Amino acid sequence: MFNSLTGTITQKLPQKLCLDTQGIEWDIIVPDTSLDALPHVGERARVFTYLQHTDAVMTLFGFASERDRALFFDLLKVDGVGPKSAVKIMSSIALEQLVVALDDGNLAALEKIPGLGKKTAQKMLLALKGKLTLDEGGSKQSVVQKPGGAYADVISALTNMGYDRRDVEAVITRLVDELKNAPAASGEKAFTDMLPSAKEEMLFRRAIVELAQ
């Protein structure tokens, strides 16, 4: 599936962007935070995408950066949060504020997000607390998706084999957490002490087993 679209912006509306790519105009749902970061109407832009395909409809979602899309995927891991709900959440709170609220366990701040009830806010806290970080520029970055990181290479390899990217990311994230906290077997190095290549190989082998089930 395509990773991004590059073309000329023809229209910008709340949570909506139209992009012309050599005569094909795409109607894309975009969080307001990403919308603000993209160029003005009439200018060229690269939009990172996610296609939701169901029996009834196909919906294209777009993001100004891979980090914005990574946050979108993280939100989809929360029970009760679908693609359109994730876009509304991202449109209602700055990335920095969301990370701080999650890390602080600030349920009250999460409940103030429009459309996010108390139960869903609690689920979000349980699923994402401590899982999101901010890079030096203040932007959100997923643990397993740092550009150039070893885990990103594993995710790319598994995705290229045909596995769903969201499933791959969920499995890799869980495996990394488990391996970091697991005691080393007798005569073997702990996961945190392994070379990057050894970590990649271990994650790849274990992820293949789980994804194949």
Side-chain angles (χ1 to χ4, degrees), residues 107-120:
L107 186 61
L110 296 176
E111 290 177 4
K112 292 180 181 179
I113 299 174
L116 193 64
K118 184 174 182 178
K119 288 185 178 180
T120 305

Side-chain angles (χ1 to χ4, degrees), residues 5 24 48-49 60 65 107 139 154 190 193 204 208 211:
L5 293 172
I24 299 176
F48 294 89
T49 57
L60 188 62
S65 68
L107 186 61
S139 298
V154 176
D193 296 329
F204 184 82
I208 280 287
L211 290 167

Side-chain angles (χ1 to χ4, degrees), residues 182-193:
S186 178
E188 295 184 359
K189 288 184 178 181
F191 180 76
T192 53
D193 296 329

Side-chain angles (χ1 to χ4, degrees), residues 16-202:
K16 177 180 177 178
L17 175 79
C18 291
L19 187 75
D20 183 277
T21 58
Q22 298 181 347
I24 299 176
E25 189 173 29
W26 302 84
D27 188 339
I28 311 171
I29 297 177
V30 180
D32 289 335
T33 47
S34 279
L35 203 63
D36 292 340
L38 289 166
H40 299 295
V41 172
E43 297 182 3
R44 288 183 61 80
R46 182 185 184 188
V47 181
F48 294 89
T49 57
Y50 165 71
L51 177 65
Q52 181 191 32
H53 188 185
T54 67
D55 293 337
V57 68
M58 289 198 306
T59 307
L60 188 62
F61 296 85
F63 309 90
S65 68
E66 290 182 284
R67 289 174 185 156
D68 282 357
R69 186 173 60 183
L71 174 60
F72 173 80
F73 286 142
D74 284 329
L75 291 173
L76 294 184
K77 298 172 186 174
V78 180
D79 184 26
V81 176
K84 290 187 178 180
S85 296
V87 168
K88 289 181 180 179
I89 291 170
M90 293 176 67
S91 298
S92 302
I93 184 170
L95 304 186
E96 298 87 346
Q97 294 175 336
L98 179 59
V99 172
V100 171
L102 288 168
D103 287 348
D104 291 346
N106 192 341
L107 186 61
L110 296 176
E111 290 177 4
K112 292 180 181 179
I113 299 174
L116 193 64
K118 184 174 182 178
K119 288 185 178 180
T120 305
Q122 291 173 333
K123 292 177 181 177
M124 183 184 295
L125 199 58
L126 289 172
L128 300 179
K129 182 178 181 180
K131 300 293 180 65
L132 308 182
T133 60
L134 296 173
D135 65 13
E136 293 179 358
S139 298
K140 181 265 170 192
Q141 200 164 8
S142 175
V143 173
V144 299
Q145 294 172 318
K146 294 180 180 179
Y151 308 149
D153 292 338
V154 176
I155 290 171
S156 178
L158 291 167
T159 303
N160 289 338
M161 291 175 65
Y163 293 108
D164 182 82
R165 186 177 184 87
R166 284 183 294 167
D167 292 339
V168 171
E169 289 173 350
V171 168
I172 293 297
T173 298
R174 181 170 53 75
L175 285 174
V176 170
D177 289 339
E178 290 177 357
L179 290 169
K180 282 182 177 179
N181 296 320
S186 178
E188 295 184 359
K189 288 184 178 181
F191 180 76
T192 53
D193 296 329
M194 290 180 179
L195 294 173
S197 58
K199 291 180 180 179
E200 281 186 324
E201 183 179 353
M202 178 177 284

